[in-house]
């Protein structure tokens, strides 16, 4: 079991009706203020492809969860939590898929515990400077001590584009986590990984990017892939920051192809 200072994240394990004979689970790690619910369209496609999927809620993000008093929310502690979960469930390598801040957690995990990671996929994220307007907006809300309705709507629009009222309510549940968790994880997201982390990742790496992403530009995505070994880019035209929500079919196809060609289970 995990050390008391490193709580296991909540995990919803989804099993396919018909297995594709691939024993490597897919671990989905959500971004800031985003809970696990926005993975649902992609989860369905991965299950249809015969993959076992673990859908995580990072520490403090699961409704009603109480964290140890000495737990400090950082990218390192979040990655340690995910590592503890993988170890607790057998310790075999998994395919890690992280969106936005979850991509930073994924890189941190792959750099620090390479034996647990078969491949890494970054969705809507590379370690590069964020949009300055987005950062200023977040900092202003953190200083006032809460996220007001107008700012939530502005952020959701930037991430998703137009949403129905029901979608806004459902997807906006990520803002319902305790403000201390929301604040600490926001700081982790804005700070990002250290400069040495990407170069320490040895696992095959795929970046899935919407060309219309307003948080990370497609040029930043291309630059990151170009300077590293063992990296690939799948650009999806006209999609935004939450490309997995907008275009789950194309994301699933990219993932299946990447896993099939980039990693083979040791004999």
């Amino acid at each position: 079991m995990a050390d008391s200072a490193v709580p296991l994240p909540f995990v919803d394990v989804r099993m396919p009706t018909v297995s594709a004979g691939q024993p490597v689970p897919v671990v989905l790690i959500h971004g800031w203020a985003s809970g696990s619910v926005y993975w649902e369209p992609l989860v369905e496609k991965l299950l249809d492809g015969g993959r076992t999927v673990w859908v995580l809620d990072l520490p403090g993000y699961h409704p009603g969860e109480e964290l140890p008093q000495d737990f400090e929310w950082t990218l390192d502690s979040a990655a340690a939590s995910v590592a503890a979960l993988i170890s607790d469930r057998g310790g075999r390598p998994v395919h890690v898929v992280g969106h936005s801040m979850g991509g930073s957690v994924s890189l941190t995990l792959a750099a620090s515990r390479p034996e647990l990671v078969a491949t890494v996929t970054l969705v809507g994220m590379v370690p590069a400077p964020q949009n300055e307007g987005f950062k200023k907006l977040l900092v202003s809300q953190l200083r006032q001590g809460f996220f007001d309705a107008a700012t939530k709507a502005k952020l959701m629009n930037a991430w998703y584009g137009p949403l129905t009222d029901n979608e806004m309510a459902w997807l906006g549940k990520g803002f319902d986590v305790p403000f201390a968790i929301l604040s600490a994880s926001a700081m982790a997201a804005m700070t990002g990984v250290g400069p040495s982390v990407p170069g320490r990742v040895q696992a095959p790496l795929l970046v899935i990017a919407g060309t219309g992403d307003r948080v990370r530009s497609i040029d930043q995505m291309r630059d990151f892939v170009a300077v590293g070994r063992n990296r690939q880019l799948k650009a999806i035209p006209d999609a935004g920051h939450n490309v997995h929500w907008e275009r789950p079919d194309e994301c699933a196809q990219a993932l299946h192809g990447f896993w099939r060609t980039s990693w083979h289970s040791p004999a």
Side-chain angles (χ1 to χ4, degrees):
M1 297 295 291
D3 185 271
S4 60
V6 184
L8 296 177
F10 176 84
V11 59
D12 180 8
V13 177
R14 308 283 189 89
M15 304 292 293
T17 302
V18 179
S19 173
Q22 299 291 341
V24 183
V26 179
V27 178
L28 302 181
I29 305 177
H30 63 81
W32 177 75
S34 296
S36 56
V37 297
Y38 71 168
W39 289 117
E40 287 302 322
L42 179 61
V43 170
E44 291 181 13
K45 303 302 178 184
L46 296 178
L47 292 174
D48 288 345
R51 296 279 180 170
T52 298
V53 184
W54 300 0
V55 190
L56 305 192
D57 282 337
L58 289 171
Y61 271 81
H62 190 66
E65 179 183 11
E66 293 187 10
L67 296 177
Q69 291 185 354
D70 57 351
F71 182 79
E72 180 182 0
W73 215 110
T74 66
L75 294 179
D76 286 333
S77 65
S81 177
V82 178
L85 173 70
I86 299 169
S87 298
D88 196 57
R89 289 177 171 261
R92 294 179 180 273
V94 299
H95 295 304
V96 178
V97 180
H99 173 251
S100 201
M101 179 192 72
S104 293
V105 175
S106 300
L107 287 173
T108 304
L109 171 65
S112 60
R113 298 293 303 274
E115 76 280 7
L116 299 180
V117 178
T119 66
V120 177
T121 300
L122 307 179
V123 182
M125 181 273 174
V126 292
Q130 287 186 344
N131 177 290
E132 282 301 315
F134 177 73
K135 286 183 68 172
K136 289 179 181 178
L137 185 63
L138 277 187
V139 169
S140 71
Q141 297 290 291
L142 295 177
R143 286 176 177 166
Q144 77 176 12
F146 64 94
F147 282 82
D148 56 60
T151 299
K152 290 179 186 178
K154 187 172 184 178
L155 290 171
M156 296 285 284
N157 182 262
W159 294 338
Y160 292 96
L163 293 170
T164 67
D165 290 344
N166 285 339
E167 288 172 336
M168 182 71 78
W170 191 50
L171 295 168
K173 290 181 179 178
F175 282 100
D176 294 340
V177 303
F179 186 78
I181 300 298
L182 208 58
S183 176
S185 55
M187 294 304 299
M190 286 189 288
T191 303
V193 299
S196 70
V197 169
R200 288 162 39 211
V201 174
Q202 301 301 309
L205 189 150
L206 172 67
V207 176
I208 299 179
T211 61
D213 194 327
R214 295 166 61 184
V215 179
R216 293 285 195 279
S217 73
I218 193 63
D219 288 337
Q220 289 175 313
M221 310 283 191
R222 291 192 179 105
D223 289 345
F224 173 76
V225 169
V227 300
R229 56 181 291 275
N230 216 16
R231 299 176 186 175
Q232 304 176 37
L233 172 66
K234 172 60 178 178
I236 298 182
D238 303 319
H241 186 56
N242 285 322
V243 59
H244 57 287
W245 168 268
E246 295 180 59
R247 309 281 274 278
D249 278 308
E250 289 167 78
C251 287
Q253 290 170 15
L255 287 166
H256 287 306
F258 173 59
W259 296 327
R260 185 172 58 252
T261 60
S262 298
W263 191 83
H264 301 282
S265 178

